[in-house]
Amino acid sequence: MSHDQASYLELLARGADAEAYDRPALLARASGAGAETLASLEHAKQLALRVRAELEGRRRREAELSALFETAHDLAGLRDLDAVLRAIVQRARSLLGTEVAYLSLNDPAAGDTYMRVTEGSVSARFQQLRLGMGEGLGGLVAQTARPYVTDSYFDDERFEHTRTIDTAVSDEGLVAILGVPLMLGSQVIGVLFAADRRARVFERQQVALLGSFAAHAAVAIDTANLLAETRSALAELERANEIIKDHSGVIERASEVHDRLTEVVLRGGGVHDVAAALSEVLDGTVEFTESGLEATGADGRAVRHGQDWVAAVSAGGELLGALVLRSHPDLDPVDRRTMERAAMVTSLLLLARRSAHDAEQRVRGELLDDLLDAPDRDPRMLRERAARLQADLDAPHVVLAARIDGPDSDTSGRQTADRRTADRQRLWSAASHLAATRSGLAAARDGGTVLLLPLGPDDSAAELARQTSRQLSGTVRESVTVGASSPVMAPVGDPSSIAGAYAQARRCLDALRLLGRSGQGAAAQDLGFLGLLLADPGDIDGFVRRTMGEVVDYDRRRGTDLVHTLDAYFASGMSPARTKDDLHVHVNTVAQRLERIGRLLGPDWQSPARSLEIQLALRLHAMSAAVAH
């Protein structure tokens, strides 16, 4: 081996570029070497280049195998799918020597494809690109499930170009693109790309290498999906196990509440004992209530109401009350049924208690009947009978007339007697229960019910009528109209006053229905001058006081004469100019007085209805003053 030939071994040893292998022959030609020598050097150069190419191929395959091994190692310890896919794209870009590499995945829900990972990209539009199925080079790869390469993207007409895709590719500056499919079985789930910003040719080995990376990416995605499904299944199993545990505990609690409720009934307990037992079983605060039942149904189902759970206590369509579980989280179905069973037991206890009280209610009704029909009874006997019922007939009371306001006829043209009888019975039952709780009396009378209820020191007859209407309507689930009398100071001291008060309450009830105010409660004082006609003659002063008492009191305190100004104003046809002539004062004085009157009586004092009442009150006030003098 000559010295010149040995130089090729040195070039191979140090991994010189291909251009360096021309140097020995050039030096030999320059030194005047013969043709034989030059031919020998050319042969040695060709052998050296072949060896160099083989060594480079082996080094490249070694790098590819190393990258594939690292990718397989990543898959074996898959923890973060995004990190694995990013590493695959980075390695593909590095080994293929491209400027850009990226991976797109199909989105079945949206019906398109989106960029999952990009490496080397500088365009935000390209990185956020979404393209329809079958569009662009990726669409061709997905349709054929085969690799596809183009050395000049914009000149290639073998796939569908769209403005959106072409604009994004142009922004990125890509020219040559290689795409290989990501396969799960026979299904294409995405495409792995390698691309350059200049024209180039991708060799078969590079296509195969990118296909290997795509297969690893598909395995990573499939493994991640399986892991997600496994985790989801495990979570479902854990939830199912928790549900089974919860149901087991609920069944135990249901058995416990059954035993507790049975014990309550057998030892003669009441509704509050039932609520206490239920509180312990449901681990909350359960109360029995007879008010605020508008939001509950009458079917006994446990329903959510705000932060509470409510189960209606009812019997025969009549709402008796409700069990309320205060501020409790959602109840499962078994706990709800437990609460509903407790409501049923409570209704049975209430019915039993009602049966025991029926006799007492009849006695209350008989006493009220005697007060209405036999006012000459001995007051001492009446007082004793009332005391046994815990009623104090020496205290102020109000007589109330109540009636259910249902339709007057059924679909056949006349209301059935059975319906009327049932309505009266339900109303009497509800009124009797209300009277018993208020230490009053109740009786069925004249197609409705009459009540005699005590009047508290801060109450009024009108407010008592409204409360009674609301309570009776809520109990019988029908609109109940209630008319109230003026207060009766001591019923037992003047039993005859009860009949007159009842007549007044009846007139007020009829007036409410005629005025279209059915389903409400009111006293005569609520009805203006109409109330004056309905009330006792002795209530004239009360009507004047309610209508214009503020003006009378102001004159008395300040020594003014606003009442006379008011009378002159109405007498002159509500004309300030004529009023000042009648009063012999300046018109500004009239205006100031009228302004003061408006502040005392309210802004609507000159409306037709109010002015009529005020003029009537002025006449009655003048008559009272004349009688007094």
Side-chain angles (χ1 to χ4, degrees), residues 568-598:
Y569 179 66
F570 283 120
S572 64
M574 303 174 71
S575 168
R578 289 198 293 272
T579 302
K580 61 100 175 173
D581 293 337
D582 292 343
L583 297 177
H584 305 291
V585 296
H586 195 273
V587 70
N588 289 342
T589 303
V590 174
Q592 292 171 0
R593 293 179 182 180
L594 293 177
E595 181 183 359
R596 172 63 64 184
I597 291 170

Side-chain angles (χ1 to χ4, degrees), residues 47 80 88 128 166 232 234 252 270 302 304 345-346 355 425 481 522 524 557 570 629:
L47 290 175
D80 184 349
I88 290 174
Q128 299 169 5
D166 288 355
S232 177
L234 287 174
E252 291 179 3
R304 188 83 189 215
V345 171
T346 303
S355 297
Q425 178 62 33
T481 307
R557 292 194 308 269
F570 283 120
H629 288 85

Side-chain angles (χ1 to χ4, degrees), residues 66-91 213 216-217 219-221 223-224 227:
S66 176
L68 292 174
F69 176 78
E70 291 174 359
T71 302
H73 183 269
D74 291 342
L75 293 177
L78 180 63
R79 291 295 182 270
D80 184 349
L81 176 62
D82 286 335
V84 173
L85 294 180
R86 195 176 302 111
I88 290 174
V89 172
Q90 289 172 349
R91 290 167 188 155
F213 280 120
H216 281 83
V219 170
I221 293 170
T223 303
L227 285 174

Side-chain angles (χ1 to χ4, degrees), residues 182-384:
L182 274 66
M183 305 288 295
L184 280 182
S186 60
Q187 180 183 5
V188 177
I189 63 171
V191 180
L192 178 61
F193 297 90
D196 261 336
R197 296 186 176 93
R198 56 183 172 78
R200 65 168 287 177
V201 176
F202 289 97
E203 300 175 358
R204 182 176 299 175
Q205 296 89 340
Q206 293 174 321
V207 175
L209 177 61
L210 193 62
S212 297
F213 280 120
H216 281 83
V219 170
I221 293 170
D222 189 35
T223 303
N225 290 339
L226 290 174
L227 285 174
E229 292 174 3
T230 302
R231 293 190 185 103
S232 177
L234 287 174
E236 289 292 336
L237 288 174
E238 290 177 358
R239 284 194 293 270
N241 187 46
E242 290 299 323
I243 291 173
I244 291 172
K245 289 181 179 179
D246 291 342
H247 280 187
S248 177
V250 169
I251 291 172
E252 291 179 3
R253 290 198 304 275
S255 176
E256 178 185 351
V257 79
H258 179 271
D259 295 340
R260 294 292 302 277
L261 293 177
T262 301
E263 178 186 355
V264 168
V265 173
L266 291 178
R267 63 181 173 82
V271 294
H272 296 292
D273 296 313
V274 172
L278 193 60
S279 297
E280 294 182 14
V281 174
L282 298 182
D283 192 24
T285 301
V286 179
E287 300 173 356
F288 174 76
T289 181
E290 295 177 290
S291 60
L293 307 178
E294 293 79 7
T296 67
D299 57 359
R301 298 290 183 185
V303 296
R304 188 83 189 215
H305 181 56
Q307 296 297 315
D308 304 329
W309 282 91
V310 182
V313 177
S314 60
E318 180 184 351
L319 191 58
L320 306 176
L323 290 176
V324 182
L325 177 60
R326 300 293 185 189
S327 303
H328 203 278
D330 289 341
L331 292 178
D332 57 40
V334 177
D335 275 347
R336 294 182 196 178
R337 287 195 292 272
T338 296
M339 193 170 179
E340 291 161 5
R341 281 197 294 270
M344 185 182 300
V345 171
T346 303
S347 67
L348 293 175
L349 291 175
L350 289 174
L351 287 177
R353 187 174 69 180
R354 174 177 291 183
S355 297
H357 292 170
D358 277 348
E360 177 185 339
Q361 292 173 359
R362 283 193 292 272
V363 171
R364 290 179 184 273
E366 291 170 357
L367 176 56
L368 183 52
D369 285 336
D370 286 346
L371 288 171
L372 288 167
D373 300 330
D376 55 347
R377 297 258 182 172
D378 183 0
R380 183 178 59 83
M381 296 296 296
L382 293 174
R383 187 178 288 108
E384 290 179 0

